[in-house]
Amino acid sequence: MDKYSAKFECKGQLPRFGLLLIVLFLASSGAYAFCAGTLIKEIKAIAASPEVIETVKAANSRQLSKAQIMELDRKWIKLKGRLPEAEQIKGSKVSALLSQEMNRQSYFKEAILTGNQGETVAMNIVTSDYWQGDEEKFTAIFDTNLPSRKPDSHISRARWDDSTKAMIAQVSVPVYDGENMIGTLTVGVDLKRVPHPNH
């Protein structure tokens, strides 16, 4: 490991992870390793907050058509999020809550909350697109089956993020209403800021 490596101390175990709590990221600037269990626990706590759950339920009740979602996604990408719908989402109470949660930890950078179709429901910073439903951070974990047949979290390969100027890994977890999976929460984690045992 180089000097930019980061490692979390693991305390206890989380379901489905066991000894696989050590996650290795191979990136152009070097290898990053840390205990994912603590990060996932923190992000799941945010996803379980009543405000998050109620916001996702309300969004799902609207049930936009696929055509509506794709049209808004097209506009969003073309205008780089400079449109009223993005301002409305960014200005919501739950987006303010996500911003507050991201500010609690120096290694949290961005948060994206989605509904059951992968549409963006809340965000602390404007995303590059509206629809996350075709991306691994959504498809790898979202499942309407009971019980879910998919993993209870997903960690992306590390990548350089120009907007935050940091080496970011995206950690995604489901949002549940009781036993039903209703959406997802993805948090971008700055790997250089994850606590190291020597810090």
Side-chain angles (χ1 to χ4, degrees):
M1 290 296 163
D2 61 20
K3 65 181 180 179
Y4 297 116
S5 298
K7 183 180 180 182
F8 252 7
E9 293 295 332
C10 292
K11 295 182 180 179
Q13 292 184 342
L14 291 178
R16 300 192 185 188
F17 284 89
L19 297 177
L20 297 178
L21 290 174
I22 302 299
V23 179
L24 180 64
F25 293 100
L26 298 176
S28 59
S29 62
Y32 295 79
F34 61 83
C35 175
T38 303
L39 282 174
I40 292 168
K41 186 176 180 180
E42 287 183 281
I43 296 167
K44 282 185 175 181
I46 300 170
S49 68
E51 297 90 342
V52 166
I53 294 169
E54 289 305 314
T55 297
V56 175
K57 286 170 64 176
N60 289 346
S61 69
R62 291 194 294 270
Q63 278 300 298
L64 296 176
S65 69
K66 184 66 175 294
Q68 288 174 309
I69 290 173
M70 298 311 295
E71 176 62 16
L72 181 53
D73 187 59
R74 184 190 64 77
K75 291 180 181 177
W76 192 296
I77 294 169
K78 181 179 180 180
L79 298 174
K80 299 181 179 179
R82 300 188 191 95
L83 65 171
E85 292 88 346
E87 291 180 9
Q88 183 178 9
I89 293 170
K90 177 70 166 53
S92 69
K93 289 183 178 179
V94 76
S95 289
L97 172 66
L98 292 180
S99 293
Q100 185 179 37
E101 292 293 343
M102 294 303 97
N103 289 335
R104 290 185 190 277
Q105 301 289 10
S106 64
Y107 44 85
F108 285 164
K109 292 300 177 185
E110 65 173 343
I112 306 169
L113 182 65
T114 78
N116 60 9
Q117 298 186 82
E119 73 279 25
T120 299
V121 170
M123 57 193 176
N124 69 316
I125 57 177
V126 176
T127 57
S128 59
D129 57 359
Y130 171 69
W131 188 51
Q132 317 302 323
D134 60 340
E135 298 179 25
E136 194 173 20
K137 60 176 174 278
F138 180 85
T139 60
I141 60 172
F142 190 77
D143 192 356
T144 56
N145 289 294
L146 287 175
S148 173
R149 302 188 183 108
K150 293 187 178 181
D152 209 36
S153 64
H154 174 74
I155 304 177
S156 73
R157 188 180 179 88
R159 62 177 177 79
W160 177 259
D161 183 74
D162 283 329
S163 63
T164 58
K165 304 300 181 187
M167 187 63 68
I168 296 292
Q170 291 186 323
V171 182
S172 302
V173 302
V175 176
Y176 286 99
D177 178 25
E179 294 183 352
N180 295 301
M181 195 180 297
I182 60 173
T184 66
L185 175 64
T186 297
V187 172
V189 177
D190 182 346
L191 298 182
K192 287 178 68 174
R193 291 183 177 271
V194 175
H196 189 281
N198 295 330
H199 287 181

